[in-house]
């Protein structure tokens, strides 16, 4: 079976990628970073989603000697001038390793920042860039990236227990449920990450 390393230890994100990818290439095994415990932390020093995604993909591929797929995602809130954007995962300043605690703190900060913003002024977009990196035997490399965006709004309090990150406070346009209230399959159909991965999946199928 062909293998690809996903640059993440987030169990939810790995499961999401694997569900999406198997629709197009069932013979590809998705490995997470938990299977490479000695992998050094990759500093996300890029100034865009694209830069950070490719930086992570290159670093993971170099360490594991396998093709790598990385994404960098963020929530861009209109009333906050596009913040938290590329800083979404670390918006609250939490430096621990408890992902659930980090998510709760990030959500709490965003809701506090928007407490005086009218409902019709709380527009937001989830954006992601998925980057693929594969070293070739001749010393060259193969790179590819795809982009996905999902528009919606930030609601006033969390709803739902599925998903991760800002899902409980993000309601997609034309929906009455947050991403955290949707089933995994329903989320995959509309999510920014799903859009990007469906775009890159045929390329992975043909170039791994």
């Amino acid at each position: 079976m062909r293998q690809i390393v996903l640059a993440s230890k987030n169990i939810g994100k790995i499961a999401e990628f694997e569900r999406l990818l198997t629709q197009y290439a069932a013979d590809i095994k998705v490995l997470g970073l938990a299977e490479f415990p000695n992998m050094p932390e990759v500093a996300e020093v890029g100034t865009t989603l694209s830069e950070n995604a490719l930086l992570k993909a290159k670093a993971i591929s170099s360490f594991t000697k396998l093709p790598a797929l990385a994404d960098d995602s963020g929530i861009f809130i209109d009333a906050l001038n596009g913040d938290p954007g590329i800083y979404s995962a670390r918006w609250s300043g939490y430096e621990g390793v408890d992902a659930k605690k980090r998510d709760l703190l990030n959500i709490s900060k965003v809701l506090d920042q928007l407490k005086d913003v009218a409902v019709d002024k709380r527009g937001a977009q989830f954006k992601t860039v998925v980057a693929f990196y594969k070293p070739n035997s001749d010393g060259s490399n193969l790179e590819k990236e795809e982009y996905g965006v999902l528009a919606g709004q930030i609601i006033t309090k969390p709803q739902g227990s599925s998903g991760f990150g800002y899902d409980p406070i993000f309601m997609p346009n034309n929906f009455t449920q947050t991403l955290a209230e949707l089933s995994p399959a329903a989320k995959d159909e509309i999510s920014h990450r799903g859009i990007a991965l469906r775009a890159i999946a045929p390329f992975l199928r043909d170039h791994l």
Side-chain angles (χ1 to χ4, degrees):
M1 178 173 280
R2 296 180 291 172
Q3 294 182 323
I4 188 169
V5 182
L6 177 64
S8 179
K9 295 179 182 178
N10 186 308
I11 295 174
K13 187 179 290 187
I14 292 168
E16 187 174 46
F17 267 106
E18 193 160 44
R19 284 196 307 272
L20 290 162
L21 190 55
T22 53
Q23 297 177 30
Y24 299 88
D27 66 325
I28 297 175
K29 172 66 176 177
V30 180
L31 305 175
L33 289 185
E35 300 186 54
F36 303 92
N38 297 321
M39 172 71 204
E41 192 72 25
V42 181
E44 297 182 21
V45 296
T47 59
T48 65
L49 297 177
S50 178
E51 288 179 4
N52 280 330
L54 185 57
L55 186 154
K56 289 186 282 187
K58 285 182 176 179
I60 301 303
S61 179
S62 176
F63 183 83
T64 64
K65 310 303 180 188
L66 291 169
L69 189 69
D71 85 295
D72 199 42
S73 304
I75 191 165
F76 295 73
I77 300 172
D78 298 344
L80 300 181
N81 297 314
D83 283 337
I86 64 170
Y87 306 107
S88 295
R90 48 195 186 275
W91 191 233
S92 68
Y94 176 68
E95 297 181 353
V97 296
D98 187 330
K100 289 185 177 180
K101 182 176 181 179
R102 179 198 64 210
D103 290 348
L104 289 173
L105 289 171
N106 286 338
I107 286 172
S108 179
K109 180 175 180 178
V110 163
L111 291 180
D112 185 61
Q113 289 178 302
L114 297 177
K115 63 183 179 182
D116 297 322
V117 178
V119 173
D120 62 346
K121 303 294 184 183
R122 298 166 72 101
Q125 303 82 42
F126 261 128
K127 299 178 182 179
T128 193
V129 171
V130 174
F132 171 75
Y133 185 88
K134 176 187 177 184
N136 296 319
S137 57
D138 62 1
S140 64
N141 58 74
L142 186 62
E143 298 177 12
K144 177 72 171 176
E145 69 175 41
E146 293 289 351
Y147 174 77
V149 60
L150 175 63
Q153 66 174 350
I154 304 299
I155 61 173
T156 57
K157 61 181 180 180
Q159 294 179 191
S161 57
S162 298
F164 54 89
Y166 295 90
D167 286 358
I169 59 170
F170 183 86
M171 186 173 292
N173 287 344
N174 303 315
F175 277 74
T176 58
Q177 294 175 300
T178 67
L179 287 181
E181 294 177 292
L182 297 177
S183 69
K187 180 184 174 183
D188 290 349
E189 283 297 313
I190 65 167
S191 78
H192 52 301
R193 196 171 289 110
I195 292 168
L197 191 63
R198 280 191 291 275
I200 206 170
F203 183 88
L204 299 180
R205 178 189 60 212
D206 297 337
H207 292 90
L208 278 181

